[in-house]
Amino acid sequence: MKSYKAQRRLSLSLRYVLLAVLVVVWLFPIVWIILASLSYNDTGFVSTIWPEKFTLSNYTGMLLNKQYPFLDWMRNTLLVSTVSMILSTFITISVAYTLSRLRFAFRKKFLQIALILGMFPGFMSMIALYYILKSFNMLNLAGLTMVYVGGAGLSFYIAKGFFDTIPRSIDEAAEMDGATRWQVFLHIGLPLSKPMIVYTALTTFIAPWVDFIFSGIILSSSGNPKNYTIAYGLYNMLHNAKGTSTTFFTQFIAGCVMIAVPITILFVIMQKFYVNGITAGADKG
Amino acid sequence: MFRRKNKLPPAATYREVWRKGDWTTKLSFFVMGASALKNRQWVKGAAFLITEVAFLIWLVFSGISSLSMLSNLGTLKTKKVVFDQSQGVYLTKLPDNSVVILLFGVLAVILLIAMVGLYWVNLRSTRKLYVLNRDHGHIETNGEELASLLDERLHSVLLTIPIIGIVAFTILPTVYMISMAFTNYDSHHSIGFSWTGFQAFHNVLSGDLAGTFFPVLGWTLIWAVCATATTFFFGVLLAMLIESKGIKHKAFWRTMFIIVYAVPQFVSLLMMAQFLDLQGPLNNLLLSWHWIAKPINFIGASANPLVARITVIVVNMWVGIPVSMLVSTAIIQNLPEDQIEAARMDGANPFQVFKSITFPQILFVMAPSLIQQFIGNINNFNVIYLLTGGYPMNNNYSGAGDTDLLVTWLYNLTFGQTQRYNASAVLGILIFIISAVFSLFAYRRTNAFKEG
Amino acid sequence: MKLWQKFALGSTALLSATVLAACGNSGSGSSSSSSGKNGVSGSVKLWVDNTQVSSYKSIVKDFNKKYPDVKVKVTQSPNGSSNAKTDVAKDPSKAADVFEVPNDQLGQMASAGYINPLSPDATKTIKQDNVDSAVKGVTWKNKLYAFPFAMQAQTLYYNKSKLSAEDVKDWDTMTAKSVVATDFTVPYNVYPIFLSAGTYMYGKSGEDLKGTNVNTQEGVNAMEWYAAQKNNKGVMQTSSVLNQLKSGKAGAILDGPWDAVNIKKLLGKNFGVAPYPTITIGGKKVQMQAFLGIETFAVNSHTATKNQKAAATLAQYITNKASQLVIYKDQGQIPVDKSAQQTATFKKNPVAVAVKTMSQPGHSTLMPKMPEIATLWDQAAPLINGAYSGSIKPADYMTKLTSFHNAVSKAN
């Protein structure tokens, strides 16, 4: 019996060691990114793990940079992501609810079409989106928001999977009592879907902070960096004129760290909802 | 379109409606909403009528011209440079802008289809009114009509705005790009281009791009399989490690891994590229530890293709395993314990339990999301674009490198040096076909698996 | 433009209840109808590289003293002037009226119709004021297409504590004593070896589609040179030359004048700059060549007719001698104006002098403007890299060079 206990203990400590090693491997590059953001550098390339010289000037430089107005980017992105979050969440939840709880002739077709549309690579639509927005004179943050919101109607899978798990008998009981479907949606569907709303809201909120492709295509032609969102702004810092990547590289890293921190925190909060959503969705296929 | 299970009146053919209906019913065949107005359904009737009027105005003033221009995408195809005496400068008379003509042509076609659909709805509602009048049924009042929008027609209310969004931002661009594949839109016809049928398909599948297309396609598929399989398998293992008996602070351990996934990819992957550079920190570290004698070229332009491809898959594991760990954690927590216990009783060792019970069960639950991940990996732009930019270079390819996927190549063809928009549209269509075939096949298999 | 305005109106009517209801004019700026002093008026949008915005704002201030009726809006090029071709092509009507563009993109932009030939007056002034290579740099099919204001050629930057002025005159002595770092994956850096070896890029004129004669013994010699550098301990492949120069692992680098200020900061009193050395190709000592690029401002052909004159006037003003000297002082851009090159500040600056030496024929080749050069850039990188890394075997050099030649000589 004693040897069994020892074996258990050995197995447990081995597992702890393995986990610790894995965590170190996983976090090592992240720690390096943070170290790099604190290092003094004038060559546009970080070749060491440990900075030769620590400095906070990258952070202050980024915040005070006139060519690359970081604070304006923050404000723009916050605006876009908040509006997009509110509208997209509403759209996604109502589409998911409709497709899951309501029965109507067009339903099957809608699901099939959505499935097909989802298989076209999103990049295909970039040129067209640019011209559509241009013809309505919307090559700006409002137009970008509309692009994010416009796609929300197709990202209902996880939320639909969630609604599918709620028994329909609840709705039927309410309808027996004379509630309209709108009332059922408002008073039963929405309160029940709280975790799903949080999850959808967080994902749609995060999206504008990490998208540098669509935002670049829509916002770049203004040539005014004050109008950029954060992801494109930072990306543009590295890929603009010759020599700029040298000058601004460490400021870029500092900027990245500054936005990665809040997003990471949001994501860590979100992970529970994420898991619930994706497993509920996966169960039903 | 509408749910009318119990109050469904006996149907009538449109022929009967046309022959026996009163004059407003007949008029409804031309003036939408006429019969609704007659029957005091003001809101519905007015909506029909106003839409029709607006549509006709649009059709006359711009619809017809844009539809007709769709046939040749503009008549003026070449530019003309003229000297303007009054200002003393040269001016260029530009070709007709086919991009805009095509886009609005497609839009016009969509509007036309939408109008036909609406006309059909109008006919149905006219027929319904006719039947109700004939059989002296109850004709819904304005108030009832509106109230039904919040009840049995709630779906149409909830779906209207999303559908408009989908049409404007997904369907219209997609149809537009599909049509672009049948033109000669490239850097030589960048303003005025014309229809050229399947020429662009020919270029990609058997012309000058074929030598790049098939190898890139092959790597895309290998990549998608490897990326999906590795992240899934090791994600499950990691989840089981964290969930195994005796480990404390499980949430803490999970969060440690999730941090990597939570950092925006354009940050983590761009920095990873530098981390792995020939003179980057990783190589310097390994050199200073004397683990290697010479820096390893992981993902540089002149790296060994095999090394680079393995590196890409490994880095993708770094980003992807945390997610699949999270998902499998939830599944593991909900796995029925009894089977595992029974197997243990029978003397199965942990490996056997994993192989024949835990893993198949997880696979079963995860199958649909695995298919989605697979499709997602075929289109995994970020990992390749940010990490390697398609490098290492391959002198047999045109405009792509050894780690380029179809989707990053598509991007290069549009925004890179060569600007072959039509070829990139063709690639988009081919990617769609590949994804569709794979998911159809996979869904079939998993369904059969579930039933059997 | 009319077409889609009509359309916008039409579709808005139909979709009036929808979110798409926004509609507006997409005209290109306001107009001022009165023609003011000098008879030039209008409103013009100017794209410059992001680091130069403030310099050009001050130049434009001076411009407005002379032309008060021209409204100028200075903004940065979306993706930098080196991507002007793609930025303008994305949507010419939204691009700036006057934009900064390197001369090698002029050919494609001209044949696509994005830019107009310059007026006879402007042509005369440019020819009078600027050095020959700059004029040639903006000429395409016997017409001038842009206003030159600076030249760029890579030179050798070296660390004086590791190499002497004598050492850097020859590649072989230099690489025996210290390490030269460059990026073999960027054809801009290394393609000129083909030119040093005696081949032409699109012919002597740079406008001859079939003139890229690399499928010759000279071409093979160049390939052998690349391959030899892989085993040369004194040559380093790097994606960050500055980092290697700073850390002391490299004693010299090949780089352009745009990095000169940074390099001065890194090396301090050890800063050295020199024209390219001689190299040994095919057993012969020849001058190592670089590309000569001309930075220019071009006028967008989509600019409204009423603003064309104002745009051309602005482009001419911001590339005149005084403006060239401002940009030289602020940004280290090497002027191409004949008299600007005679000023004391120019002659005393080793970087400027080295670049000027490099701009002579024999030291450099003007970047061709052929639209097909896009294919060449795409294909040259893996070709050179293949020779350098050894993934192309010497026996295959000729086959690869021939297929390269065929690819770049095809009007696609």
Side-chain angles (χ1 to χ4, degrees):
Chain A
M1 217 53 202
K2 203 175 176 189
S3 76
Y4 178 69
K5 219 174 177 183
Q7 207 185 340
R8 285 279 298 264
R9 196 173 293 155
L10 180 72
S11 138
L12 185 63
S13 34
L14 274 180
R15 278 180 284 147
Y16 268 121
V17 169
L18 183 61
L19 257 185
V21 168
L22 285 176
V23 166
V24 169
V25 169
W26 244 260
L27 290 186
F28 187 69
I30 303 290
V31 173
W32 171 70
I33 294 175
I34 295 168
L35 285 175
S37 75
L38 291 168
S39 70
Y40 174 79
N41 188 298
D42 48 11
T43 64
F45 186 90
V46 182
S47 63
T48 54
I49 303 280
W50 198 255
E52 284 147 31
K53 205 164 112 193
F54 278 95
T55 173
L56 279 175
S57 64
N58 301 325
Y59 286 89
T60 51
M62 183 74 252
L63 289 171
L64 301 173
N65 196 324
K66 283 225 175 67
Q67 248 159 38
Y68 295 109
F70 190 77
L71 294 175
D72 283 330
W73 296 345
M74 289 284 258
R75 196 199 53 215
N76 293 342
T77 319
L78 196 64
L79 198 72
V80 169
S81 56
T82 310
V83 175
S84 150
M85 176 183 75
I86 294 167
L87 297 178
S88 306
T89 308
F90 179 73
I91 287 178
T92 306
I93 295 289
S94 29
V95 171
Y97 182 85
T98 312
L99 293 176
S100 168
R101 316 296 281 180
L102 305 178
R103 290 290 175 271
F104 51 97
F106 189 50
R107 182 174 166 274
K108 272 254 159 65
K109 280 249 157 54
F110 189 98
L111 282 169
Q112 284 164 352
I113 292 174
L115 195 70
I116 292 173
L117 285 176
M119 284 176 200
F120 280 99
F123 287 111
M124 272 181 81
S125 54
M126 280 186 301
I127 299 178
L129 278 178
Y130 175 85
Y131 277 97
I132 293 169
L133 289 175
K134 186 188 146 178
S135 54
F136 292 102
N137 217 7
M138 300 262 300
L139 289 174
N140 49 27
L141 294 169
L144 183 64
T145 314
M146 277 175 51
V147 171
Y148 292 139
V149 175
L154 286 176
S155 50
F156 55 79
Y157 286 103
I158 291 180
K160 177 178 173 289
F162 178 84
F163 281 120
D164 286 344
T165 57
I166 303 175
R168 279 180 64 85
S169 52
I170 303 179
D171 298 13
E172 278 156 14
E175 273 177 46
M176 289 289 208
D177 293 346
T180 64
R181 290 193 185 150
W182 172 249
Q183 287 165 332
V184 174
F185 174 59
L186 211 60
H187 298 299
I188 299 178
L190 285 185
L192 275 176
S193 60
K194 219 188 216 157
M196 217 51 244
I197 292 176
V198 176
Y199 166 72
T200 317
L202 282 172
T203 35
T204 47
F205 182 81
I206 289 174
W209 295 83
V210 298
D211 163 53
F212 60 95
I213 299 279
F214 279 95
S215 52
I217 283 168
I218 290 164
L219 300 174
S220 69
S221 58
S222 74
N224 181 1
K226 277 207 164 76
N227 293 334
Y228 295 168
T229 60
I230 200 123
Y232 178 65
L234 285 171
Y235 189 76
N236 185 262
M237 273 179 89
L238 281 198
H239 293 83
N240 211 302
K242 282 175 191 153
T244 50
S245 59
T246 315
T247 322
F248 296 121
F249 185 67
T250 39
Q251 290 191 11
F252 162 82
I253 309 176
C256 287
V257 172
M258 280 191 274
I259 64 153
V261 168
I263 293 178
T264 310
I265 292 171
L266 274 184
F267 201 92
V268 168
I269 297 171
M270 190 185 80
Q271 54 164 305
K272 207 176 87 198
F273 301 107
Y274 181 81
V275 171
N276 289 345
I278 207 164
T279 44
D283 271 339
K284 289 277 171 173
Chain B
M1 199 76 184
F2 308 125
R3 234 167 80 107
R4 287 169 298 167
K5 258 186 207 150
N6 298 325
K7 35 189 173 169
L8 187 74
T13 59
Y14 286 116
R15 182 193 288 261
E16 185 194 334
V17 176
W18 172 249
R19 272 208 312 232
K20 296 194 180 157
D22 61 356
W23 67 275
T24 48
T25 309
K26 284 200 173 81
L27 192 62
S28 290
F29 281 80
F30 306 100
V31 179
M32 284 164 47
S35 101
L37 285 174
K38 159 93 188 311
N39 288 292
R40 293 161 182 259
Q41 297 178 337
W42 305 119
V43 178
K44 192 184 196 177
F48 273 134
L49 191 62
I50 290 169
T51 317
E52 182 173 359
V53 170
F55 176 79
L56 287 175
I57 291 172
W58 166 79
L59 194 68
V60 169
F61 282 101
S62 71
I64 290 173
S65 83
S66 50
L67 283 170
S68 63
M69 280 165 95
L70 202 54
S71 63
N72 58 2
L73 300 175
T75 42
L76 208 57
K77 296 289 181 202
T78 46
K79 66 180 166 69
K80 247 195 268 155
V81 178
V82 289
F83 189 69
D84 182 84
Q85 285 295 346
S86 61
Q87 294 198 79
V89 291
Y90 282 95
L91 297 175
T92 302
K93 182 122 182 41
L94 291 159
D96 291 338
N97 195 339
S98 307
V99 174
V100 176
I101 293 171
L102 178 58
L103 182 64
F104 284 105
V106 171
L107 180 61
V109 170
I110 289 178
L111 289 181
L112 209 60
I113 293 173
M115 200 58 208
V116 170
L118 206 63
Y119 179 71
W120 182 67
V121 172
N122 161 61
L123 281 190
R124 286 188 66 143
S125 114
T126 306
R127 178 172 68 177
K128 186 180 160 197
L129 286 172
Y130 163 78
V131 171
L132 286 172
N133 274 321
R134 184 189 65 189
D135 302 346
H136 307 291
H138 170 67
I139 294 174
E140 288 175 309
T141 64
N142 243 337
E144 285 167 345
E145 282 269 318
L146 287 178
S148 79
L149 285 178
L150 288 181
D151 200 0
E152 62 260 39
R153 286 182 205 158
L154 181 61
H155 60 271
S156 45
V157 174
L158 288 180
L159 286 185
T160 303
I161 289 177
I163 286 181
I164 291 171
I166 292 169
V167 169
F169 292 105
T170 308
I171 294 185
L172 172 59
T174 307
V175 174
Y176 167 78
M177 286 307 285
I178 291 173
S179 23
M180 194 170 273
F182 300 94
T183 66
N184 60 355
Y185 184 29
D186 58 20
S187 59
H188 294 268
H189 309 87
S190 52
I191 302 175
F193 52 82
S194 355
W195 296 111
T196 50
F198 284 90
Q199 184 58 42
F201 284 86
H202 171 76
N203 286 343
V204 171
L205 293 174
S206 57
D208 61 329
L209 294 176
T212 314
F213 174 73
F214 289 103
V216 171
L217 171 65
W219 159 240
T220 305
L221 294 179
I222 294 172
W223 149 263
V225 171
C226 291
T228 314
T230 50
T231 50
F232 169 68
F233 184 72
F234 288 104
V236 170
L237 284 187
L238 182 62
M240 292 186 61
L241 179 63
I242 294 178
E243 286 301 311
S244 65
K245 272 201 186 107
I247 300 280
K248 282 185 183 138
H249 307 296
K250 293 180 166 46
F252 163 78
W253 292 109
R254 275 199 293 270
T255 307
M256 285 296 106
F257 288 98
I258 278 304
I259 285 176
V260 174
Y261 180 72
V263 175
Q265 291 199 335
F266 78 92
V267 179
S268 58
L269 293 174
L270 268 181
M271 293 304 291
M272 199 57 175
Q274 185 148 106
F275 190 71
L276 295 171
D277 189 276
L278 192 57
Q279 280 102 16
L282 184 61
N283 267 316
N284 280 340
L285 194 69
L286 295 178
L287 279 174
S288 69
W289 286 349
H290 299 288
W291 285 17
I292 52 174
K294 203 164 74 157
I296 302 169
N297 201 340
F298 289 106
I299 48 169
S302 44
N304 180 317
L306 188 66
V307 173
R309 286 174 172 181
I310 291 173
T311 311
V312 171
I313 289 173
V314 170
V315 172
N316 182 64
M317 284 164 69
W318 178 62
V319 183
I321 285 179
V323 205
S324 68
M325 178 269 291
L326 256 194
V327 177
S328 11
T329 301
I331 296 170
I332 289 169
Q333 284 169 347
N334 294 328
L335 279 187
E337 282 285 320
D338 45 352
Q339 270 188 345
I340 299 174
E341 282 305 317
R344 284 227 181 89
M345 292 293 185
D346 293 347
N349 64 31
F351 175 73
Q352 283 168 328
V353 172
F354 173 74
K355 202 192 89 183
S356 22
I357 299 178
T358 325
F359 193 72
Q361 276 178 337
I362 295 175
L363 192 63
F364 175 76
V365 180
M366 294 256 303
S369 83
L370 274 180
I371 298 165
Q372 277 182 356
Q373 272 184 41
F374 182 79
I375 307 288
N377 273 325
I378 289 183
N379 291 313
N380 199 331
F381 179 81
N382 271 3
V383 170
I384 303 299
Y385 181 78
L386 294 172
L387 188 65
T388 67
Y391 283 168
M393 293 173 175
N394 185 319
N395 52 60
N396 296 317
Y397 291 178
S398 119
D402 276 315
T403 57
D404 259 322
L405 304 178
L406 287 176
V407 66
T408 52
W409 189 36
L410 181 159
Y411 183 86
N412 288 346
L413 286 174
T414 309
F415 294 97
Q417 286 279 351
T418 47
Q419 293 171 309
R420 297 176 68 158
Y421 304 103
N422 55 353
S424 77
V426 170
L427 280 188
I429 294 175
L430 294 176
I431 292 174
F432 162 73
I433 292 174
I434 294 163
S435 314
V437 167
F438 267 93
S439 35
L440 207 72
F441 179 71
Y443 279 121
R444 281 253 169 103
R445 282 297 299 272
T446 48
N447 280 344
F449 181 52
K450 275 184 179 172
E451 281 153 20
Chain C
M1 192 149 279
K2 258 190 190 141
L3 175 77
W4 71 66
Q5 274 181 3
K6 256 199 293 184
F7 234 108
L9 281 169
S11 30
T12 312
L14 187 70
L15 297 169
S16 57
T18 76
V19 272
L20 287 171
C23 173
N25 289 328
S26 38
S28 56
S30 61
S31 65
S32 48
S33 49
S34 68
S35 51
K37 215 165 72 173
N38 304 309
V40 184
S41 65
S43 88
V44 181
K45 195 169 146 196
L46 174 66
W47 270 357
V48 301
D49 269 338
N50 56 359
T51 45
Q52 309 181 351
V53 173
S54 55
S55 306
Y56 277 102
K57 277 195 172 149
S58 72
I59 293 176
V60 164
K61 230 178 232 165
D62 290 338
F63 171 79
N64 275 336
K65 276 179 203 151
K66 203 169 162 200
Y67 301 98
D69 293 326
V70 181
K71 239 180 79 194
V72 184
K73 199 177 153 215
V74 187
T75 59
Q76 62 167 18
S77 315
N79 295 298
S81 61
S82 48
N83 292 311
K85 187 181 75 183
T86 37
D87 277 345
V88 173
K90 189 176 119 192
D91 184 3
S93 61
K94 270 273 168 183
D97 304 303
V98 179
F99 53 87
E100 193 178 341
V101 53
N103 72 311
D104 61 310
Q105 300 181 6
L106 293 176
Q108 172 157 7
M109 299 192 87
S111 42
Y114 297 141
I115 51 178
N116 296 322
L118 303 187
S119 68
D121 290 349
T123 306
K124 220 172 93 195
T125 325
I126 291 174
K127 281 188 174 163
Q128 227 163 43
D129 292 349
N130 297 291
V131 293
D132 275 354
S133 51
V135 177
K136 260 192 226 148
V138 296
T139 308
W140 168 249
K141 299 201 167 146
N142 297 321
K143 282 199 179 101
L144 270 61
Y145 277 89
F147 297 85
F149 73 95
M151 60 184 180
Q152 295 184 335
Q154 291 208 328
T155 53
L156 191 79
Y157 294 89
Y158 64 99
N159 186 335
K160 276 186 177 160
S161 70
K162 294 185 185 263
L163 289 162
S164 70
E166 203 52 42
D167 294 334
V168 298
K169 285 195 174 145
D170 184 69
W171 183 267
D172 300 334
T173 36
M174 179 166 63
T175 55
K177 280 201 168 177
S178 181
V179 175
V180 187
T182 190
D183 192 345
F184 280 86
T185 64
V186 179
Y188 179 77
N189 293 338
V190 282
Y191 188 88
I193 296 297
F194 277 114
L195 307 169
S196 314
T199 71
Y200 292 110
M201 197 174 176
Y202 294 113
K204 267 186 191 168
S205 62
E207 295 189 8
D208 174 8
L209 183 59
K210 308 260 178 239
T212 313
N213 55 338
V214 287
N215 50 341
T216 53
Q217 184 55 43
E218 283 81 20
V220 173
N221 290 344
M223 294 287 273
E224 279 165 357
W225 188 87
Y226 295 128
Q229 302 317 307
K230 174 83 177 174
N231 300 319
N232 188 339
K233 285 231 154 35
V235 179
M236 176 195 247
Q237 153 66 31
T238 179
S239 52
S240 172
V241 285
L242 292 187
N243 193 273
Q244 299 310 309
L245 191 66
K246 189 191 181 192
S247 68
K249 286 180 187 150
I253 60 171
L254 310 179
D255 206 344
W258 53 87
D259 263 339
V261 180
N262 286 324
I263 298 171
K264 255 182 213 161
K265 250 192 267 165
L266 295 183
L267 292 179
K269 63 177 178 20
N270 286 326
F271 174 82
V273 57
Y276 270 10
T278 51
I279 51 173
T280 317
I281 293 184
K284 271 184 299 189
K285 277 252 183 287
V286 290
Q287 173 63 43
M288 185 178 182
Q289 287 204 21
F291 276 124
L292 177 63
I294 306 294
E295 282 296 312
T296 73
F297 276 99
V299 176
N300 191 333
S301 60
H302 284 70
T303 298
T305 311
K306 62 178 192 299
N307 288 329
Q308 280 279 351
K309 179 86 182 175
T313 313
L314 175 72
Q316 183 154 3
Y317 186 90
I318 59 178
T319 54
N320 66 15
K321 181 190 168 191
S323 306
Q324 283 189 25
L325 283 172
V326 171
I327 292 302
Y328 169 62
K329 198 180 116 239
D330 289 3
Q331 311 287 339
Q333 294 260 39
I334 316 298
V336 290
D337 185 279
K338 279 180 203 156
S339 53
Q341 291 194 351
Q342 298 305 320
T343 55
T345 54
F346 186 94
K347 286 187 161 172
K348 270 194 299 189
N349 181 348
V351 177
V353 173
V355 172
K356 183 156 197 255
T357 314
M358 286 302 292
S359 75
Q360 312 297 321
H363 278 77
S364 62
T365 300
L366 204 55
M367 287 225 272
K369 294 176 272 306
M370 299 289 287
E372 287 78 9
I373 202 172
T375 321
L376 190 140
W377 292 140
D378 256 6
Q379 308 257 315
L383 177 80
I384 295 170
N385 186 56
Y388 172 77
S389 67
S391 67
I392 301 178
K393 299 276 166 287
D396 297 332
Y397 285 168
M398 205 43 143
T399 2
K400 286 285 177 191
L401 286 169
T402 309
S403 64
F404 174 73
H405 169 261
N406 295 340
V408 303
S409 310
K410 202 175 60 185
N412 48 353

